[in-house]
Amino acid sequence: MDEIILSMPAVALREVTILPNMVAHFDISRSRSIKAVESVMNGNRKLFLVTQMDSEIDNPSISDLYPVGVMAEVKQVIKLQNDVVRVLVEGEKKAALTSFGPGGTYLRAEIMLLDDPDPVDFEIEQGMLRALQDTFRRYSISNGKLGKDYVKQIAAGTDLRKTMSLMINNLPVNYTEKQKFLSAMSLEEEYTVLSSILVQEMNINEIKNEFREKVKAEVDKNQKEYLLREQMKVIREELGDNSESEIEDFEKSLKKLKAPKEVKAKIKKEIDRFKNINSNSSESAVSRGYIETLLDLPWNKVSEDNTDIERAREILERDHYGLEKVKSRMLEFLAVRNLTEKGQSPIICLVGPPGTGKTSIARSVATALDKKMVRIALGGVRDEAEIRGHRRTYVGAMPGRIVTGLRQAKVKNPLMLLDEIDKVSSDYKGDTSSALLEVLDSEQNIHFVDHYVEVPVDLSEVLFIATANDIHNIPRPLLDRMEVIEVTSYTENEKFHIAKEHLMAKQLERNGLKESQLKISDDALRHIIRHYTREAGVRNLERRLGEICRKAALDIYEKKTKKYTVTPDKLKKILGKEIYSFDKAAEKPQVGIVRGLAWTSVGGDTLEIEVNVMPGKGELKLTGQMGDVMKESAMAGVSYIRSVADKYGIPSDTFKEKDIHIHIPEGAVPKDGPSAGITMATAMLSALTEIKVKHDVAMTGEITLRGRVLPIGGLKEKILAAKNAGIKTVIVPKENEKDIEEISKEILEGLKIVYVEHMDEVLKTALVSKKTTKK
């Protein structure tokens, strides 16, 4: 067959492929393309259309174009805005591009017309046709958008070539797929390309439909959920139920929460569970409370502590007089933390009598360190669940006091004051002290588990300060976990400074008075301390000052006076008669009367122990509400005296024919302890030998059967009581010498301290004279 070579204007198309027997339009804007169209309008309107491989190239060369295009006839040209021309064409004949000829202002192509593909056997043609129609039928089902007439035309086709032409011209496929069909040179190749296109499109449609179904199902589900939620919202509003808004608030709070992953996962699980619980059920309230507790806990939230040691020292000195050990320990902690950038939080126990400032110094420490403070009162707590919390299976369950304290503080590093830790007790519900062991162990409390929370809580950054009145009431394992700092009784001079520098200002402010409106002289203040209060601390002193302020406020309000002045002679009128008077030392030595020293919960006191010897049967009588330990001390004293009776000239039959009666005045007050041992022994020996005891000597110490003197406690309070009673010489055990060294010089001034190890030394110092010869 002869080759037909033609030369005609050409247009390079972008992303469009025109096929034979296809009527279509396209837009052109390049001047060369527009001029090519214009050049054929006055002639035979024949134009060669070829597609660019890359649509981004403005001036394509022959290598940028597909090798096969189509010769088409221009049917219509419409000029649009912005120099755009719309051209309607009909494809006529397939042609191959051989070269570009001279065209000047437009492309002129040299093309070779291509003959139609050779026919095939009738059976083969019909086989291909039916296979194609079957594939198209399945494709039309998957597509669903093809016109019914178009589908019917394809199904009714009897000519393979025309059916394929109709099919490819109307298929909604990419121009590159149509270009493959145009480039096919045989009927079999065209069939293969078209079948491949149909199968590919069918697969794409199936995938698309599958995704569409999934999306539709998801959308339907969302719409259904939305409608149901809106309906539930309306129903809840009618019922007054606001659980949906609570869930939203919980989820917002969870997003903002700074906490470990496992904690967040636990809260998320509980919120999901809460969604499915009926809001009117009791379980809903339990779940709600649990979620709120977990969200309120400061899992990773810390406060920034003060690092300025000078400022901390200034605050501690400003708020409290004395208490040097506590202040020093807090400053040490601050210095260590500044050096190490963290430092282990100490666990401190302040031990001392009531009213000595243990609780208030903890508040000052919190202020000095810029820490949040939480006070947990442990007095009378006897249930382990108060510390560890209740398990959520119980009705009314709640977290323990430790976790509740953290929740109140809103930070994980507060100062936690465990007030009155020596007052905790135990019952059948558990031992509270044992529950505190984990809390106050710095090695264990990093993973403290509260029964209610069920998630480990970090207590390692909490600064624990416990307070106690009596260290002996604290179990040994618990005491071992704490650093004990003793807060001793205040001296009269310390009370004077505390009242003048701290208590007066507080009471003036509390009662609405100015400093210029009330004046209490120093002598009056000392008189109040000495005769209207008797305590280790300053609580009663503060009450007395408050009483004076109230009376001053009444007189000033009633305009009886502008300035209220208090002197010692006015105190009887203001506060009434004197309540306390110190038992002064006797004026002269006496037989059988010895001044002992005792420790009480409100400070030290002196005890005048009296002994009488009378005819009888050798009995020992003890009166004055003595405890078992004190009675045993008296018995030990008697045994010692009997063992040294010959040395002091005491007849051997004395202990058979005489009764010894020991009495300690103030019989209504219970007394106990071993520290009066040497005092009772000295009084008995004095009564038996009729040797007088020096009137200005007081003593304290435990006695053994062999006369050894053992150490005792509460020495500062006892020494203070001796000084207030006018005692000049105090006998103390030799082993207590280290305790004397810690007592301030102010207390020891004017006192002679005699250290003894044996009763012989006690008697040598206390007795006026002693008989050394045997009768």
Side-chain angles (χ1 to χ4, degrees):
M1 188 179 288
D2 296 332
E3 295 180 351
I4 302 173
I5 305 296
L6 298 175
S7 175
M8 62 177 64
V11 172
L13 301 177
R14 291 175 170 174
E15 298 183 354
V16 175
T17 298
I18 304 297
L19 300 170
N21 304 315
M22 179 181 179
V23 177
H25 63 76
F26 54 84
D27 294 342
I28 54 176
S29 58
R30 288 183 286 197
S31 60
R32 296 179 72 187
S33 298
I34 293 171
K35 286 178 180 177
V37 172
E38 289 174 346
S39 69
V40 302
M41 291 305 292
N42 296 325
N44 60 4
R45 296 196 174 196
K46 302 297 181 185
L47 186 67
F48 180 65
L49 302 175
V50 64
T51 306
Q52 290 182 204
M53 294 180 183
D54 185 355
S55 61
E56 299 296 324
I57 299 172
D58 280 334
N59 295 308
S61 63
I62 194 168
S63 60
D64 297 320
L65 303 172
Y66 284 105
V68 178
V70 69
M71 184 179 73
E73 181 181 351
V74 180
K75 296 290 187 181
Q76 188 182 32
V77 176
I78 302 172
K79 291 186 177 180
L80 304 177
Q81 293 180 347
N82 301 323
D83 296 328
V84 175
V85 175
R86 179 163 293 172
V87 183
L88 180 67
V89 298
E90 181 182 358
E92 293 183 347
K93 195 78 172 168
K94 192 187 302 186
L97 175 63
T98 57
S99 63
F100 284 141
T105 57
Y106 58 84
L107 281 178
R108 190 165 190 85
E110 300 290 331
I111 64 172
M112 180 179 69
L113 294 178
L114 300 174
D115 293 330
D116 292 335
D118 295 332
V120 295
D121 292 341
F122 178 75
E123 291 83 1
I124 296 173
E125 182 181 339
Q126 287 302 306
M128 287 193 292
L129 175 61
R130 290 177 187 180
L132 202 57
Q133 286 172 331
D134 185 58
T135 305
F136 182 80
R137 180 182 58 78
R138 287 186 284 117
Y139 164 73
S140 65
I141 293 170
S142 68
N143 187 293
K145 292 183 179 180
L146 299 177
K148 291 182 180 179
D149 293 338
Y150 172 52
V151 175
K152 285 180 181 178
Q153 274 184 289
I154 299 297
T158 56
D159 185 276
L160 177 61
R161 186 173 286 107
K162 287 181 180 179
T163 302
M164 286 197 297
S165 179
L166 179 62
M167 200 179 289
I168 192 63
N169 286 339
N170 293 281
L171 278 178
V173 295
N174 191 275
Y175 76 95
T176 55
E177 301 297 329
K178 291 186 176 183
Q179 184 65 46
K180 288 179 184 176
F181 183 82
L182 184 62
S183 300
M185 292 295 113
S186 65
L187 198 61
E188 290 88 347
E189 195 177 344
E190 286 180 347
Y191 166 79
T192 303
V193 170
L194 187 52
S195 296
S196 175
I197 291 170
L198 286 174
V199 171
Q200 180 180 325
E201 288 297 313
M202 202 160 37
N203 291 336
I204 291 171
N205 284 335
E206 285 177 2
I207 294 169
K208 183 177 72 174
N209 291 338
E210 186 180 334
F211 276 111
R212 182 186 292 137
E213 288 300 321
K214 286 183 180 178
V215 172
K216 184 175 181 295
E218 190 66 31
V219 169
D220 289 346
K221 181 184 175 184
N222 291 338
Q223 285 181 335
K224 183 179 178 182
E225 286 182 359
Y226 174 76
L227 290 172
L228 289 173
R229 287 184 189 280
E230 289 299 313
Q231 289 173 357
M232 287 171 65
K233 187 176 179 182
V234 173
I235 293 169
R236 284 195 176 103
E237 285 175 359
E238 290 294 322
L239 294 173
D241 182 6
N242 60 345
S243 60
E244 190 69 22
S245 60
E246 283 183 341
I247 291 169
E248 291 176 3
D249 291 342
F250 288 156
E251 289 175 341
K252 287 178 184 176
S253 300
L254 180 58
K255 286 181 181 178
K256 296 177 184 176
L257 185 67
K258 294 180 179 178
K261 289 181 180 178
E262 57 270 19
V263 174
K264 287 196 167 188
K266 178 78 173 175
I267 299 173
K268 180 70 171 67
K269 183 179 178 182
E270 194 63 30
I271 291 174
D272 292 340
R273 182 170 167 271
F274 180 66
K275 289 178 184 177
N276 300 319
I277 298 175
N278 186 345
S279 60
N280 293 323
S281 70
S282 59
E283 193 178 358
S284 174
V286 173
S287 184
R288 182 187 296 107
Y290 182 60
I291 294 168
E292 287 173 350
T293 300
L294 291 184
L295 289 173
D296 285 348
L297 284 175
W299 298 101
N300 287 338
K301 187 178 179 184
V302 295
S303 62
E304 189 174 342
D305 295 348
N306 169 45
T307 56
D308 188 347
I309 289 185
E310 288 305 317
R311 178 173 171 271
R313 180 182 280 113
E314 182 183 330
I315 291 171
L316 292 172
E317 293 293 344
R318 180 195 69 197
D319 293 348
H320 286 82
Y321 182 87
L323 303 176
E324 298 302 328
K325 280 188 179 179
V326 186
K327 294 175 183 176
S328 176
R329 183 63 185 88
M330 288 301 105
L331 295 175
E332 287 168 8
F333 159 67
L334 190 57
V336 170
R337 195 195 53 196
N338 288 351
L339 289 172
T340 61
E341 296 184 356
K342 186 176 181 183
Q344 194 174 32
S345 294
I347 298 171
I348 292 169
C349 182
L350 305 178
V351 179
T356 49
K358 299 184 296 296
T359 303
S360 60
I361 190 68
R363 291 195 186 96
S364 293
V365 168
T367 305
L369 300 180
D370 280 346
K371 280 185 175 291
K372 301 266 187 181
M373 177 179 163
V374 179
R375 178 178 172 269
I376 297 175
L378 295 176
V381 173
R382 62 180 185 275
D383 187 355
E384 178 206 3
E386 293 281 343
I387 306 299
R388 284 190 172 277
H390 303 80
R391 298 191 185 279
R392 283 195 293 147
T393 50
Y394 297 108
V395 176
M398 61 181 67
R401 297 195 181 196
I402 303 297
V403 169
T404 303
L406 280 180
R407 188 178 177 185
Q408 291 171 354
K410 299 188 184 301
V411 290
K412 66 182 289 190
N413 61 335
L415 184 150
M416 201 167 280
L417 175 65
L418 304 178
D419 219 0
E420 310 292 354
I421 199 170
D422 59 327
K423 308 294 190 305
V424 299
S425 56
S426 59
D427 63 4
Y428 67 94
K429 294 179 181 177
D431 186 358
T432 313
S433 300
S434 298
L436 285 168
L437 291 177
E438 183 184 359
V439 175
L440 299 180
D441 191 330
S442 56
E443 299 298 326
Q444 297 179 34
N445 63 13
I446 192 170
H447 294 300
F448 172 71
V449 178
D450 184 278
H451 289 157
Y452 181 83
V453 175
E454 297 178 351
V455 180
V457 179
D458 184 6
L459 300 178
S460 62
E461 294 184 47
V462 177
L463 172 56
F464 285 103
I465 296 183
T467 68
N469 296 131
D470 188 358
I471 199 171
H472 299 99
N473 292 336
I474 303 174
R476 188 70 196 176
L478 183 58
L479 188 64
D480 187 55
R481 282 162 166 77
M482 299 185 288
E483 181 180 340
V484 177
I485 298 178
E486 192 173 352
V487 181
T488 54
S489 305
Y490 292 122
T491 64
E492 191 174 300
N493 188 51
E494 285 174 334
K495 290 181 182 179
F496 174 78
H497 284 292
I498 291 169
K500 195 168 184 179
E501 296 170 17
H502 300 284
L503 302 183
M504 273 306 299
K506 188 195 294 186
Q507 287 300 323
L508 287 172
E509 182 183 355
R510 190 173 291 176
N511 292 282
L513 295 173
K514 297 178 182 176
E515 195 174 341
S516 59
Q517 292 176 312
L518 176 62
K519 171 70 175 175
I520 301 178
S521 69
D522 290 353
D523 290 340
L525 196 54
R526 292 184 189 278
H527 198 84
I528 294 168
I529 293 166
R530 181 175 285 267
H531 296 288
Y532 288 90
T533 64
R534 177 170 289 181
E535 57 182 342
V538 290
R539 279 192 186 140
N540 281 324
L541 175 58
E542 187 174 5
R543 291 189 189 103
R544 296 299 177 193
L545 294 177
E547 191 176 341
I548 293 171
C549 288
R550 289 193 297 274
K551 292 187 183 298
L554 179 62
D555 283 3
I556 291 169
Y557 184 75
E558 292 179 344
K559 299 184 179 177
K560 292 181 181 179
T561 182
K562 290 185 178 179
K563 184 175 181 180
Y564 200 85
T565 305
V566 180
T567 54
D569 55 319
K570 293 181 180 179
L571 286 175
K572 189 172 183 179
K573 181 182 177 183
I574 298 169
L575 298 178
K577 63 180 181 180
E578 295 177 358
I579 301 173
Y580 302 105
S581 60
F582 284 94
D583 293 332
K584 290 294 181 182
E587 295 181 359
K588 57 183 180 178
Q590 297 183 49
V591 173
I593 296 178
V594 182
R595 183 77 65 168
L597 301 174
W599 180 92
T600 68
S601 60
V602 294
D605 202 359
T606 60
L607 296 175
E608 203 170 54
I609 295 178
E610 301 175 345
V611 176
N612 268 351
V613 178
M614 63 206 88
K617 300 178 181 178
E619 293 179 357
L620 175 65
K621 295 183 180 180
L622 303 169
T623 57
Q625 275 219 60
M626 296 187 195
D628 291 340
V629 176
M630 186 172 266
K631 288 177 181 178
E632 290 171 1
S633 292
M635 293 174 189
V638 170
S639 297
Y640 168 72
I641 292 169
R642 292 180 69 174
S643 69
V644 295
D646 291 346
K647 181 178 178 181
Y648 289 95
I650 301 172
S652 57
D653 58 352
T654 300
F655 298 100
K656 294 180 181 179
E657 299 173 356
K658 303 280 187 180
D659 287 347
I660 300 174
H661 186 169
I662 302 175
H663 176 70
I664 303 177
E666 296 185 33
V669 180
K671 309 164 191 74
D672 204 357
S675 64
I678 64 171
T679 314
M680 290 187 287
T682 303
M684 284 188 286
L685 194 138
S686 169
L688 289 168
T689 60
E690 297 184 356
I691 301 174
K692 294 180 179 180
V693 180
K694 294 176 183 177
H695 63 285
D696 57 355
V697 171
M699 60 187 71
T700 181
E702 181 179 350
I703 189 173
T704 69
L705 289 175
R706 301 300 176 93
R708 289 188 299 116
V709 180
L710 302 182
I712 42 79
L715 199 56
K716 179 184 175 182
E717 288 79 5
K718 292 177 179 179
I719 297 291
L720 189 57
K723 183 171 184 177
N724 289 334
I727 300 297
K728 302 297 181 185
T729 304
V730 179
I731 300 172
V732 299
K734 174 72 173 175
E735 290 183 41
N736 282 115
E737 187 173 359
K738 59 183 182 300
D739 300 315
I740 294 290
E741 292 172 359
E742 294 183 2
I743 299 174
S744 63
K745 292 180 181 179
E746 175 195 340
I747 298 174
L748 297 175
E749 189 177 350
L751 287 177
K752 179 184 178 184
I753 308 297
V754 178
Y755 300 107
V756 296
E757 294 180 286
H758 197 272
M759 271 301 297
D760 289 345
E761 300 170 65
V762 176
L763 297 172
K764 182 179 178 182
T765 305
L767 300 179
V768 174
S769 62
K770 61 181 180 180
K771 300 176 182 179
T772 55
T773 57
K774 296 181 181 180
K775 286 185 178 180

